Structures are given as C-alpha cells and as structure tokens.
Amino acid sequence: KKTCIFAVVKLLLNRKKYRNNMKYYKLLVIAVLSVILLSCEGGQKTFSSDLLIGKWKRPSVSKQDKGKTGYDCYRYDVNGNGVTWDTADDVNENEAQAFTWKLDKDRLTVVHKGEMGQVIPKVYTVKTLNSTTLSYEDDYGATFTFSKFTGKP
C-alpha cells in the first residue's frame, strides 16, 4: 500500500514535468486504481470457533415423505469433528453422519464423510455467528440459518 501511495504522490508532484505525456496519465490512472483496490481489502469478518461449538438446528422437510417435517441438525465438537442428522427422515443423533470442520475467519469448511467412504467438501461464508444464531452462505448464494439448541431438537 505504501509503495502505491508513494507512487501516486510522486506522480502528482511531478505533473508539470509530464503534463503532455500520455505515459504520465496512464501511470496516474493505474496508481489510483491500485490504491482503490488495495483499500477495499479487509472486508472479511472474523468469527470465533468457540461460538460454533454445540448443536444447531433449522427446519427441514423429509426427502422421502414431503408432508413430514423435522429439523436438519448439526453438532460441532471442539476437536474439529461433528455429526449431522435430519429428524424429518427419522434419523437421530446416534445415527448421524460424521464430518470434520474448520472455521478460518469467515470461511467455514465442512468435509462430510459418506457411507461408502467418499469425501464431500463444502465451503461456506459465515454471515452471522453468535450464541443463538448461525447463518452462512454457499458459493451459489443459498443461505442456511440455524438456531442453537441443547438436548433434543
């Protein structure tokens, strides 16, 4: 950043020397654009993984019986492991599918372990994470919002 700012100041101070020089104007435009782009950095939020630890739920509809509702549940454990289950499909926590997770600033990576050993990575951008609400978005713009709970959903 400092180098770009120094280059802009240098160009502005020497503008009389380069007044009719097209190269001067090109350099000035590039320098100004560089400063603008660099100043946009830092928009990424940082969330604490401590807030993620625990059980989270959101309403769901059964994949087999569309009239049956329940909860899509996730449990994030301290060691970076977790499990997920859907009560709408009559799956409970003891039968849950395992996954691993990592939270880096606002990027939540969840790697599901399929029944046949396949690895299914999913990456989300966390929008909200506090003691009661978890909300994240996938790369396609779909948003998922969960509520924290204890016991059974």
Side-chain angles (χ1 to χ4, degrees), residues 1 9 12 15 18 24-25 47 53 70-71 78 91 96 98 109:
K1 276 186 174 178
V9 170
L12 290 174
R15 71 175 181 252
Y18 300 109
Y24 166 77
Y25 291 107
F47 294 97
I53 305 304
Y71 291 99
V78 175
V91 178
T109 304

Side-chain angles (χ1 to χ4, degrees), residues 27-68:
L27 287 173
L28 183 62
V29 168
I30 290 170
V32 169
L33 287 174
S34 297
V35 169
I36 290 170
L37 290 174
L38 288 173
S39 68
C40 292
E41 285 182 7
Q44 191 177 32
K45 293 180 182 178
T46 299
F47 294 97
S48 171
S49 60
D50 292 340
L51 290 170
L52 189 58
I53 305 304
K55 295 179 185 179
W56 299 87
K57 68 179 180 179
R58 70 182 182 119
S60 68
V61 176
S62 172
K63 294 172 186 76
Q64 288 83 26
D65 179 4
K66 298 296 182 193
K68 188 171 182 188

Side-chain angles (χ1 to χ4, degrees), residues 7 23 80 89 94 100 135 143:
K23 183 179 176 183
D89 290 326
N94 296 333
T100 59
S135 182
T143 301

Side-chain angles (χ1 to χ4, degrees), residues 86-124:
D86 194 335
T87 62
D89 290 326
D90 292 324
V91 178
N92 62 42
E93 189 173 358
N94 296 333
E95 306 165 322
Q97 180 189 38
F99 66 84
T100 59
W101 64 272
K102 180 180 179 187
L103 181 61
D104 183 23
K105 295 185 180 176
D106 69 345
R107 300 298 282 178
L108 174 62
T109 304
V110 177
V111 181
H112 294 272
K113 299 169 188 167
E115 293 175 8
M116 300 174 68
Q118 71 272 35
V119 175
I120 307 157
K122 296 184 178 182
V123 179
Y124 304 100

